[in-house]
Amino acid sequence: MKPTFKPVADHAVLVSFATKISDAANQSVVALDHAIAQAQIKGVRETVPAFVNILISFDPLVTDHQEIEAEVNKLLINLQNVSAKVGHKTVQVCYEGDFGVHTAEVAKVCGISEEAVINAHLSGDYHVVMYGFAPGYAYMAGVPEAIQVPRKSTPTRDIPAGSVYIASAQCLVSTIVMPTGWSILGRSPTKILLDDPKQPFLFDVGDRVTFERIDLATYDRLSKGGCNG
Amino acid sequence: MADARLKVTFAGPLVTVQDAGRFGHMRFGVPASGPMDRLSHAAANVALGKPAEGSSIEISLGGLMLECLSGEITLSVTGGDFTVDHAGAKLASWTVLTLRKGEKLAIRAGRWGSWAYLAFAGQMDIPQWLGQSATHSMSGFGGGTITSGQELYIQEAAVIETREGDILQPEYADIKGTARVVMGPQDQHFEQAALDTFLSKAYALSENYDRMGVRLNGETLAMKAALSIPSEPIVRGSVQVAGDGAPTVLLADHQTTGGYPKIATVVSADVDGLVQMRHRDLLRFKAISAAESVDEARRYAVHSKEYLDRISEPRGTLEQRLMGENLIGGVFS
């Protein structure tokens, strides 16, 4: 896939593999991200992978857009050969009681039972596409079609950290108290902000994710000592 | 050296602890945060002989009032033109003074500027997140928000009389109402007329101005089609245009990705000046090439290094200073 390059002010280049979301474009993003991490390109400060493109942030005192573009073009030649090691993470979810704020609503819209909504959510094949919005907010693709619902027109306010919510094909687990227009299905005790300088966040972009159902007693036990945030 | 204990008798909204910023975590949804005006923050620190990356308290237009409960400490106030009332004396920002037990300090909005920086000759006892004290305002992670009633503890509080007095101001950082931009990276989604409007009309800063960004009032910017673009990375300085056609300049606590197209990106050399503008101030955009923007970043870095080196020198005793005034004079620009 031949990408386009766009300058972002004096300190970054945006490399885009497509204009519309596709698995192929995202795979190229993840592969290039890994290749850049291995290549240790002079002046590169950090990268931000997203759905179809990746931002390469650089130090303008050390390099410039043209040099970065040339280095990336070198990496693109062998991009397919980069072995992208994909991690696998498990996120526990309690779907019971007040935690499933919108489960009944999603069930109604999709014409299935609440239990079927939960099972559909558990059956999804998820992977982390990118982070965004707030620290640790990992956007996962893979919500099954049976429970894909659009964003709500009015956001729900003060949603606690650890809430598991969906909108169209995307799912995420919140890390701080926030309003959201997404549909909330449950609450997770799984820590995403890890307080570990070596691995400050649970997921890497590209990781596969499985949701595991837990009951309220297990949630209460696991969430003691604080969950996310 | 002893500790100093200060009581926050009043803190306006958006008064936070900052350091140079938390870099390298944008891929996890974490912007660098750090000071809105990086240069003024650095100046506050080096004027006390501290590293530019040290911590400071970022003060909004809401202001900050402190009372020294115990100990004594030399401190600096930089950024914009804020009023500084110290123990009965009327001063302004860009000053170094010593606050002693029982004395009060009030830092309030003055003639211009949106953000002031207060640094201490000592170590603030504050929390860190991911190794930095910079506060991410949306989550409160980092050193945190300063609130009325809290106490500040400063360890190893020093009195450094040789540093007291005015701090030279970095006049080169003033953008005079024009921010230079590199167009894009999503300018292709806009009508040509919108691109022309963006570069020819003045936009007024709105009241929707916080650490995440400032929304602008002015002529709307039409996109080619009702857009649903994939969420794409955002940087400090991105000018994103929402569905209603109004531009917003994203700043220190920007979201790291977002689905609104970015018509242009403000060059890093002009962000410090831009953030010091206020509600109703008029802002114009001027397009420069990517290559020119790198030259400007390098020029700004050279200027800043010279400037910070210069103000990092102690001013000396009163006698030395009186001699110096006759020799130096003028304003660094």
Side-chain angles (χ1 to χ4, degrees):
Chain A
M1 233 178 214
K2 180 115 188 83
T4 59
F5 294 81
K6 288 278 261 185
V8 180
D10 49 278
H11 51 86
V13 170
L14 186 67
V15 186
S16 301
F17 289 93
T19 53
K20 290 199 171 74
I21 292 177
S22 72
D23 283 346
N26 192 238
Q27 279 158 15
S28 296
V29 167
V30 173
L32 180 58
D33 188 33
H34 283 256
I36 292 169
Q38 283 169 17
Q40 305 269 314
I41 300 168
K42 183 186 70 170
V44 169
R45 293 195 288 208
E46 60 184 306
T47 56
V48 188
F51 286 99
V52 298
N53 44 28
I54 177 169
L55 182 93
I56 305 169
S57 167
F58 63 81
D59 180 354
L61 306 186
V62 174
T63 185
D64 63 22
H65 306 84
Q66 282 185 326
E67 282 184 31
I68 296 292
E69 186 171 334
E71 291 297 325
V72 169
N73 274 322
K74 279 190 225 163
L75 296 176
L76 287 169
I77 297 166
N78 294 313
L79 196 56
Q80 315 308 329
N81 301 335
V82 175
S83 58
K85 58 170 179 20
V86 172
H88 185 260
K89 306 283 159 53
T90 300
V91 174
Q92 294 172 307
V93 193
C94 177
Y95 295 94
E96 290 173 27
D98 296 343
F99 292 164
V101 181
H102 300 116
T103 310
E105 202 176 302
V106 173
K108 200 175 165 194
V109 169
C110 300
I112 55 177
S113 69
E114 289 185 41
E115 191 59 24
V117 170
I118 293 166
N119 285 329
H121 183 251
L122 286 163
S123 74
D125 178 18
Y126 300 94
H127 72 277
V128 174
V129 179
M130 64 164 201
Y131 279 87
F133 187 59
Y137 272 56
Y139 288 72
M140 299 171 217
V143 174
E145 274 184 40
I147 56 166
Q148 287 188 8
V149 288
R151 273 178 216 211
K152 304 151 86 64
S153 49
T154 1
T156 318
R157 299 186 64 86
D158 297 334
I159 298 309
S163 295
V164 177
Y165 41 75
I166 58 168
S168 50
Q170 293 174 48
C171 179
L172 64 76
V173 184
S174 67
T175 56
I176 56 178
V177 178
M178 269 290 150
T180 183
W182 294 27
S183 299
I184 304 152
L185 300 184
R187 187 87 57 85
S188 173
T190 305
K191 270 192 164 222
I192 293 171
L193 309 178
L194 302 179
D195 268 342
D196 175 359
K198 280 186 196 146
Q199 195 200 344
F201 301 89
L202 178 66
F203 310 109
D204 286 323
V205 168
D207 276 359
R208 298 273 146 191
V209 181
T210 305
F211 289 99
E212 179 188 294
R213 188 175 192 169
I214 56 170
D215 61 18
L216 192 55
T218 310
Y219 173 84
D220 283 340
R221 181 167 53 79
L222 292 173
S223 63
K224 265 181 201 151
C227 60
N228 295 303
Chain B
M1 276 188 265
D3 294 351
R5 199 156 59 92
L6 310 178
K7 171 123 180 150
V8 178
T9 52
F10 173 80
L14 300 180
V15 177
T16 56
V17 176
Q18 297 297 338
D19 62 13
R22 182 179 292 104
F23 294 92
H25 299 291
M26 281 203 292
R27 62 190 293 109
F28 297 115
V30 184
S33 297
M36 293 286 279
D37 175 353
R38 289 171 168 166
L39 182 61
S40 294
H41 162 89
N45 277 297
V46 302
L48 296 173
K50 298 175 71 177
E53 303 77 32
S55 296
S56 75
I57 294 175
E58 180 176 87
I59 301 165
S60 68
L61 291 171
L64 179 72
M65 293 163 79
L66 301 174
E67 183 178 348
C68 186
L69 299 178
S70 68
E72 52 185 358
I73 185 158
T74 298
L75 56 85
S76 58
V77 182
T78 62
D81 177 83
F82 279 62
T83 65
V84 179
D85 292 344
H86 169 229
K90 295 261 180 208
L91 307 167
S93 46
W94 304 98
T95 190
V96 175
L97 57 88
T98 298
L99 188 67
R100 295 187 162 82
K101 185 179 174 182
E103 288 181 350
K104 290 177 181 171
L105 179 74
I107 300 165
R108 297 188 186 90
R111 287 175 300 174
W112 65 273
S114 286
W115 308 96
Y117 295 85
L118 167 63
F120 296 104
Q123 299 297 325
M124 278 194 282
D125 183 17
I126 40 168
Q128 295 195 333
W129 181 52
L130 299 177
Q132 304 293 144
S133 62
T135 304
H136 176 258
S137 57
M138 189 203 281
S139 63
F141 295 161
T145 301
I146 303 294
T147 53
S148 302
Q150 85 176 81
E151 286 185 11
L152 301 173
Y153 298 90
I154 295 121
Q155 293 157 349
E156 295 169 40
V159 171
I160 319 173
E161 283 170 358
T162 53
R163 291 190 176 273
E164 289 175 8
D166 293 346
I167 304 170
L168 199 65
Q169 295 189 37
E171 297 194 352
Y172 68 92
D174 182 0
I175 64 167
K176 298 182 170 66
T178 299
R180 292 164 298 177
V181 295
V182 174
M183 295 306 288
Q186 284 100 34
D187 50 330
Q188 71 274 16
H189 295 306
F190 293 87
E191 301 280 1
Q192 185 58 45
L195 299 174
D196 295 343
T197 299
F198 176 72
L199 292 175
S200 60
K201 302 291 184 196
Y203 284 86
L205 275 72
S206 78
E207 281 177 304
N208 288 321
Y209 180 12
D210 60 20
R211 285 184 45 84
M212 289 176 67
V214 58
R215 194 175 148 95
L216 305 176
N217 291 328
E219 282 190 38
T220 55
L221 301 166
M223 283 163 236
K224 284 178 181 164
L227 272 174
S228 174
I229 66 165
S231 238
E232 303 196 352
I234 291 173
V235 298
R236 178 192 190 107
S238 291
V239 186
Q240 75 172 19
V241 180
D244 60 6
T248 295
V249 185
L250 294 159
L251 297 165
D253 288 346
H254 63 86
Q255 294 183 22
T256 55
T257 54
Y260 294 122
K262 273 71 80 182
I263 191 171
T265 313
V266 178
V267 303
S268 51
D270 288 357
V271 174
D272 291 336
L274 191 159
V275 300
Q276 291 295 3
M277 296 172 72
R278 285 187 187 169
H279 171 44
R280 291 201 188 90
D281 284 353
L282 292 178
L283 176 64
R284 288 176 182 277
F285 294 103
K286 178 177 184 248
I288 61 174
S289 71
E292 285 171 323
S293 76
V294 169
D295 291 343
E296 290 306 315
R298 290 173 182 175
R299 188 170 300 143
Y300 192 69
V302 169
H303 262 139
S304 295
K305 185 177 184 311
E306 284 173 2
Y307 166 71
L308 293 171
D309 282 350
R310 184 162 172 190
I311 64 166
S312 69
E313 292 297 320
R315 299 162 54 92
T317 61
L318 182 62
E319 189 184 1
Q320 287 166 337
R321 248 183 269 171
L322 287 172
M323 288 174 66
E325 298 296 328
N326 295 328
L327 300 174
I328 298 168
V331 180
F332 186 95
S333 63

